[in-house]
Amino acid sequence: MLALPPLNALRAFEAAGRHLSFKAAAAELCVTQGAVSRHVLNLESFLGVSLFMRSHRQVSLTPAGIAYLQEARDALLRISDATTRARARTNERTLWIKAPPSCSIRWLVPRLGRFHARHPDIAVQVTTSHDPVDFERDEIDVGIHYGVEATEDWQHERLFNEVLIPICNKSLLGRSRKRHAARDITGQVLLHSLRRPTDWRQWLDAAGLNGFSATQELTFENSTLTYQGALDGLGIAIAQKALVAEEISSGRLSAPSDIEVRNPLAYYLVYPNRRQTPAKVQAFQSWIGNEAGLTRRTD
């Protein structure tokens, strides 16, 4: 059995011995000076020797402390190096993706099983955010960018354009397959996302209802909740076509009008400009390009 000291106490001792200051060690470790002092006392109790000579406002190492610090520091550096190498091996086979929340939930994640089936050796980590992709700040390999064409600082590939359509539960307007007039649609409760306040206005203008103002509305925090409201029959939602195509195809949702609004906005796959693109990024680029091609056929 290994005779190991408490590791937090060892880290506190190493930092305090290196700085010859409990205060500086506390600042480095983001703990209180009292916590460093307690850790060192615990380590001294565990070892049965004094490691520091304490005087007013300063500390110095005892001969035992000097010897132990060198051994402890070497051991911690070896552990740090081993950890860095292990994490590097993990990162080589892990693909880190950042994407907008609704696109992740409604388009990317339902398809990831097919990527895993094709590349079982690549682990995938997905984070979601409405914030723009920033490869300097975010520890990610690829991102899905929503907006106009991506910056020239990135490699980018258009996935699919934004097309706005109304959607609802089939039971809301009857189960007839006929398309409904815009007035039929606006007579219902209109659902929309708080983050996308102009979508209905765009569609109503395209339908020739420039002066129309909805009298019944339900507003949700995001698109995913808005589409769920449509599925639950709460009203008619304005939706990004690509994000509801599966439900329309399966019959869970209905598109009650042929009127579509095509915006200049789109979703793009983006990744850093590099001399050599990692194999895991190349694999994802090829796969997501095929998936996006299938989506574009429904535009």
Side-chain angles (χ1 to χ4, degrees):
M1 182 176 177
L2 296 176
L4 294 176
L7 293 184
N8 283 339
L10 190 64
R11 288 182 66 216
F13 163 70
E14 188 277 332
R18 178 162 33 87
H19 291 292
L20 290 179
S21 167
F22 286 10
K23 182 178 180 180
E28 177 182 316
L29 299 174
C30 299
V31 297
T32 65
Q33 185 173 340
V36 171
S37 180
R38 287 192 297 274
H39 279 312
V40 171
L41 285 171
N42 287 340
L43 183 61
E44 289 176 324
S45 176
F46 179 85
L47 296 173
V49 297
S50 294
L51 300 172
F52 286 97
M53 293 180 289
R54 297 160 174 85
S55 59
H56 184 62
R57 293 189 176 180
Q58 67 180 14
V59 294
S60 59
L61 289 162
T62 64
I66 293 172
Y68 193 65
L69 176 64
Q70 184 60 54
E71 295 288 346
R73 182 161 172 73
D74 288 348
L76 289 173
L77 285 173
R78 287 196 299 273
I79 293 171
S80 177
D81 289 344
T83 301
T84 298
R85 289 192 297 272
R87 291 183 67 181
R89 286 193 292 272
T90 298
N91 289 340
E92 286 175 4
R93 64 179 185 82
T94 300
L95 182 72
W96 299 84
I97 305 168
K98 179 179 178 180
S102 293
C103 180
S104 298
I105 295 167
R106 302 198 60 83
W107 190 85
L108 177 61
V109 171
R111 292 165 170 79
L112 276 179
R114 296 197 282 269
F115 177 75
H116 180 67
R118 186 180 299 182
H119 301 284
D121 57 318
I122 300 176
V124 174
Q125 294 278 346
V126 179
T127 61
T128 67
S129 175
H130 290 292
D131 295 332
V133 174
D134 184 342
F135 290 106
E136 295 296 323
R137 179 194 64 205
D138 304 325
E139 293 185 4
I140 57 172
D141 298 301
V142 299
I144 294 181
H145 165 76
Y146 169 71
V148 295
E149 189 169 358
T151 173
E152 293 181 358
D153 294 336
W154 304 334
Q155 295 285 346
H156 61 275
E157 177 180 319
R158 182 177 65 87
L159 298 175
F160 48 85
N161 289 343
E162 179 175 271
V163 180
L164 301 178
I165 61 171
I167 59 166
C168 63
N169 188 300
K170 283 187 174 181
S171 63
L172 194 70
L173 294 174
R175 296 188 174 273
S176 170
R177 290 180 176 272
K178 72 174 185 177
R179 294 308 194 201
H180 294 265
R183 288 288 179 185
D184 296 333
I185 291 171
T186 56
Q188 302 292 325
V189 178
L190 301 186
L191 316 179
H192 66 92
S193 166
L194 187 65
R195 301 190 65 89
R196 304 180 62 89
T198 65
D199 285 1
W200 265 122
R201 184 73 269 155
Q202 289 186 64
W203 188 87
L204 291 168
D205 289 348
L209 299 175
N210 306 67
F212 176 83
S213 180
T215 58
Q216 300 182 84
E217 292 183 277
L218 279 177
T219 305
F220 298 87
E221 182 181 3
N222 54 51
S223 295
T224 297
L225 290 175
T226 305
Y227 304 161
Q228 186 61 48
L231 281 163
D232 291 339
L234 300 182
I236 300 182
I238 189 70
Q240 297 176 75
K241 186 177 180 180
L243 305 189
V244 294
E246 295 289 332
E247 282 89 349
I248 292 174
S249 177
S250 67
R252 296 180 65 209
L253 284 172
S254 173
S257 173
D258 288 323
I259 299 171
E260 299 182 344
V261 174
R262 297 178 178 274
N263 281 330
L265 305 175
Y267 288 91
Y268 295 84
L269 175 70
V270 294
Y271 49 97
N273 275 316
R274 292 191 181 121
R275 190 169 293 176
Q276 184 173 0
T277 303
K280 62 185 179 182
V281 174
Q282 293 181 34
F284 187 73
Q285 175 195 18
S286 174
W287 170 81
I288 200 172
N290 290 334
E291 293 289 338
L294 297 174
T295 297
R296 288 195 298 271
R297 292 180 190 176
T298 67
D299 283 356

